[in-house]
């Protein structure tokens, strides 16, 4: 009897222990989240004294334990203002937007139960424990467990949640509440956070020194950074002690207010929600291992927990000079890219960095120190744009080097900002948010940037885009050229690093290139001199090394796209080399040509005009293929000559 009773008691204790273990932590059978982003449901052991220490060893490595001497709060109230406008990435047409995630100022110790009381009538909320949401699944070797945060939906009344690794406690809101909401919390510890405008520097330093909480938050109006307390403590005896968060985060507010939100045309009280700045703060966290790279964008943005990233968050010198800030601006810039409207496929690591130049311009920083590849890449890019011949900004090897390519591609944008004002970016972003549709291919994005920057400058920037080899559609150029005068100066030669160049006048004088020319009987320019006594002649001496004869090719251009009704020709005053049948083709890039008609030039020393049969064309290059001549037989004298040619506008 005694044996049976003891057996039952022992068996029951095992069952209770096993059941309780399954209820600890994440409330899923194996104690781990499934990374599906599903919010945990179900019950949890509500014994506040019970601590699940099963992950203590891993939590000690990261994010750290909380000393038992740190006071746990009991029935403590805190109030959050949950009245927000949820600015989605879709509204702003950017890659990532801050979501309504509210810091409570409390931290959960690993494995310890948190009790959270939500007032009656409040729903649509979720509690999250853990700032480190980067999923390291598939990484090897792992420096920490793959997923160390968890979430649970909240209901009005009493809620319980624990995290085996611990972490900051957040409230996530689905919709807004007009009036502040007051919660009651038990079991958490106070995080030694800095909140701009609510705590003095001295009080915060004292708070950090007195705390044993491993992580803390630095909070301002527009940004929140999550950093390790031990790194803060280490600075107190360094050459640049982090004891001045008020000064640092006042400047961070400026960066986001002036160089991100305002530069994108966003304001807190804009009437149109598409122009309203994010109502939640941008977030950045440090982590000992990242799912991707040395730092990556997202909400939150993640940087490696090293001295560089820590300084980029906290150094007054760094943020005051833009030196050392490239990484943070780079990743937040990724979040703000408008890749679905105008930032085309080869600008993935380019347009995100333009924010660095905006900050540097505002504070008067030297562009050369922003990044080593800026000082080397910009001059190389200008050399590329200044060159002649056919170019392709997106595919040419000269613009796509591994180290400098993205920096070279920043050059045309910074040239426009420096020459016409940084408001060009504001106009571009605003127009993108209000555009009737998204753009699904690069040529449409090229066209969008060309048209909107031309609208902003009130100048037809087609020559600028042509110089850079950024292809734009003839129909859009025709639309823009009808509204604005054409660009007069070679802005693509301007160097933003030393503010020189860009003033030379663009030549729109007619030019012609030929496939063959006899040097002692006039150059191709003789066809453009308004003198019918001079002429161009195909080569006959010395004898070409390759087969010579018809067809010959002439390409006429005035270095700009224009509306042309037709072309005129004046043959040489000699019957021997007069051209007979020709075909005319047109192109915007001197690569891809389209035929607009064929005709026969009369065998006479007189001006002949050919009007394009389908009406005027809008193009930059006009290719004339000389198919044969009036001389018979052509095979015995396969040469051509022309006194004059040009376009009829």
């Amino acid at each position: 009897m005694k044996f049976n009773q003891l057996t039952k008691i022992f068996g029951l204790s095992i069952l209770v222990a096993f059941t309780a273990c399954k209820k600890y932590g994440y409330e899923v059978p194996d104690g781990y989240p499934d990374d599906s982003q599903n919010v945990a449901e179900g019950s949890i052991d509500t014994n506040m004294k019970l601590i699940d220490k099963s992950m203590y060893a891993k939590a000690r490595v990261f994010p750290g334990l909380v000393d038992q001497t740190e006071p746990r709060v009991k029935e403590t109230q805190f109030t959050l203002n949950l009245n927000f406008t949820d600015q989605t990435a879709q509204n702003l047409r950017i890659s990532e937007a801050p979501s309504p995630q509210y810091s409570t100022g409390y931290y959960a110790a690993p494995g310890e139960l948190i009790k959270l009381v939500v007032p009656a009538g409040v729903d649509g909320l979720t509690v999250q424990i853990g700032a480190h949401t980067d999923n390291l699944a598939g990484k090897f070797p792992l420096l920490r467990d793959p997923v160390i945060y968890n979430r649970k939906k909240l209901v009005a009344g009493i809620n319980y949640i624990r995290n085996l690794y611990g972490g900051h406690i957040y409230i996530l809101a689905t919709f807004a509440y007009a009036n502040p909401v007051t919660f009651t919390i038990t079991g958490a510890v106070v995080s030694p956070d800095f909140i701009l405008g609510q705590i003095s520097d001295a009080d915060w330093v004292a708070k950090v020194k007195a705390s044993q909480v491993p992580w803390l938050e630095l909070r301002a109006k527009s940004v929140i950074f999550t950093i390790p307390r031990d790194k803060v403590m280490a600075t107190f005896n360094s050459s640049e002690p982090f004891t001045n968060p008020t000064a640092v985060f006042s400047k961070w507010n400026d960066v986001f207010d002036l160089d991100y939100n305002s530069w994108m045309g966003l304001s807190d009280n804009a009437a149109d929600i598409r122009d309203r700045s994010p109502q939640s703060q941008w977030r950045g966290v440090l982590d000992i291992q990242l799912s991707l790279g040395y730092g990556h964008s997202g909400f939150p943005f993640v940087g490696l927990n090293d001295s560089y990233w820590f300084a980029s968050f906290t150094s007054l010198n760094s943020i005051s000079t833009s030196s050392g800030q490239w990484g943070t601006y780079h990743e937040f810039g990724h979040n703000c890219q408008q890749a679905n409207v105008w930032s085309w496929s080869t600008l993935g690591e380019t347009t995100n960095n333009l924010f660095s130049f905006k900050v540097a311009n505002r504070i008067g920083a030297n562009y050369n120190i922003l990044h080593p590849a800026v000082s080397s890449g910009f001059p190389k890019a200008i050399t590329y744009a200044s060159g002649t011949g056919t170019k392709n900004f997106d595919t040419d090897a000269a613009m796509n080097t591994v180290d400098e390519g993205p920096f070279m591609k920043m050059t045309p944008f910074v040239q426009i900002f420096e020459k016409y004002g940084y408001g060009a970016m504001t106009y571009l972003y605003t127009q993108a948010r209000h555009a009737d549709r998204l753009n699904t291919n690069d040529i449409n994005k090229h066209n969008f940037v060309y048209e909107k920057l031309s609208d902003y400058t009130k100048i037809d920037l087609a020559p600028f885009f042509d110089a850079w080899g950024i292809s734009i559609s003839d129909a859009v150029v025709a639309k823009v050229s009808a509204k604005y005068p054409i660009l007069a100066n070679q802005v693509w030669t301007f160097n933003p690093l030393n503010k020189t160049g860009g003033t030379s006048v663009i030549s729109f004088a007619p030019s012609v290139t030929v496939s063959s020319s006899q040097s002692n009987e006039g150059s191709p320019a003789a066809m453009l001199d308004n003198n019918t006594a001079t002429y161009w002649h195909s080569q006959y001496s010395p004898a070409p090394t390759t087969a010579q004869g018809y067809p010959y090719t002439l390409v006429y251009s005035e270095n700009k796209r224009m509306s042309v009704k037709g072309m005129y020709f004046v043959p040489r005053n000699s019957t021997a080399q007069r051209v007979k049948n020709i075909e005319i083709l047109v192109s915007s890039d001197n690569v891809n040509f389209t035929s607009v008609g064929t005709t026969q030039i009369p065998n006479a020393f007189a001006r002949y005009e050919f009007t394009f049969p389908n009406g005027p064309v809008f193009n930059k290059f006009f290719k004339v293929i000389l198919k044969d001549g009036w001389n018979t037989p052509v095979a015995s004298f396969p040469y051509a000559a022309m006194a004059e040619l040009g376009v009829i506008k």
Side-chain angles (χ1 to χ4, degrees), residues 142 380 525:
L142 281 171
K380 290 181 180 179

Side-chain angles (χ1 to χ4, degrees), residues 3 9 15 90 97 233 301 359 383 414 437 486 578 599:
F3 174 81
I9 293 172
L15 178 63
Q90 289 76 19
M233 292 290 291
F301 137 70
V359 180
T383 298
V414 180
R437 59 179 175 79
I486 197 164
R578 286 184 184 163
T599 189

Side-chain angles (χ1 to χ4, degrees), residues 159-454:
N159 302 265
Y160 293 93
I161 186 172
R162 78 169 85 233
N163 183 303
L164 302 180
Y165 306 89
H168 280 101
I169 301 171
Y170 303 99
I171 301 296
L172 314 181
T174 305
F175 43 79
Y177 284 89
N179 298 315
V181 177
T182 298
F183 302 84
T184 303
I185 191 168
T186 299
V189 297
V190 176
S191 175
D193 297 346
F194 171 79
I195 307 174
L196 184 64
Q198 295 186 26
I199 185 172
S200 70
D201 290 350
D203 288 345
W204 174 73
V205 170
K207 187 177 178 181
V208 171
K209 290 180 177 179
S211 176
Q212 296 298 318
V213 178
W215 289 80
L216 57 90
E217 290 192 334
L218 307 169
R219 294 191 249 160
K221 170 180 172 288
S222 299
V223 65
I224 295 176
F225 289 134
T226 304
I227 60 174
R229 174 182 168 274
D230 60 355
K231 275 190 164 54
V232 176
M233 292 290 291
T235 72
F236 291 161
N237 296 316
S238 70
S239 59
E240 188 182 1
F242 181 45
T243 56
N244 53 352
T246 297
V248 173
F249 279 82
S250 294
K251 289 188 178 294
W252 270 117
N253 264 354
D254 289 342
V255 167
F256 280 94
D257 287 346
L258 302 175
D259 306 317
Y260 281 83
N261 292 340
S262 180
W263 201 35
M264 291 188 289
L266 305 174
S267 61
D268 291 344
N269 301 309
D272 192 320
I273 190 173
R274 292 172 294 181
D275 298 324
R276 203 169 300 167
S277 55
Q279 303 297 291
S280 301
Q281 291 106 326
W282 294 97
R283 289 180 177 270
V285 302
L286 300 182
D287 204 330
I288 61 170
Q289 189 173 14
L290 279 62
S291 61
L292 181 66
Y294 183 46
H296 68 74
S297 58
F299 184 76
F301 137 70
V302 186
L304 191 66
N305 185 24
D306 65 8
S307 58
Y308 169 80
W309 286 108
F310 180 80
S312 75
F313 285 4
T314 62
S315 168
L316 182 61
N317 178 66
S318 179
I319 195 171
S320 298
T321 63
S322 283
S323 175
Q325 289 301 104
W326 189 270
T328 48
Y329 296 161
H330 174 99
E331 302 302 350
F332 282 122
H334 270 310
N335 287 341
C336 294
Q337 284 176 300
Q338 291 183 315
N340 289 325
V341 185
W342 66 267
S343 183
W344 58 86
S345 63
T346 66
L347 299 180
E349 294 298 326
T350 293
T351 52
N352 59 312
N353 292 311
L354 297 177
F355 294 93
S356 292
F357 289 92
K358 172 60 172 67
V359 180
N361 175 264
R362 176 175 59 83
I363 67 176
N366 185 345
Y367 294 170
N368 286 281
I369 68 171
L370 295 180
H371 191 284
V374 169
S375 58
S376 61
F378 272 39
K380 290 181 180 179
I382 293 168
T383 298
Y384 170 85
S386 302
T388 59
T390 303
K391 304 172 192 173
N392 190 311
F393 181 88
D394 294 324
T395 62
D396 284 348
M399 288 294 292
N400 287 278
T401 59
V402 174
D403 294 328
E404 294 173 324
F407 301 88
M408 294 173 69
K409 289 181 178 178
M410 298 171 205
T411 313
F413 292 95
V414 180
Q415 286 175 331
I416 293 295
F417 300 155
E418 290 287 312
K419 296 293 285 185
Y420 299 104
Y422 277 72
M425 191 74 147
T426 309
Y427 186 80
L428 191 58
Y429 263 89
T430 303
Q431 290 295 306
R433 287 194 303 275
H434 290 263
D436 292 334
R437 59 179 175 79
L438 303 179
N439 291 319
T440 57
N441 59 65
D442 280 355
I443 186 62
N444 285 344
K445 295 173 185 179
H446 291 182
N447 288 336
F448 186 90
V449 175
Y450 159 64
E451 182 175 3
K452 299 310 176 184
L453 292 183
S454 293

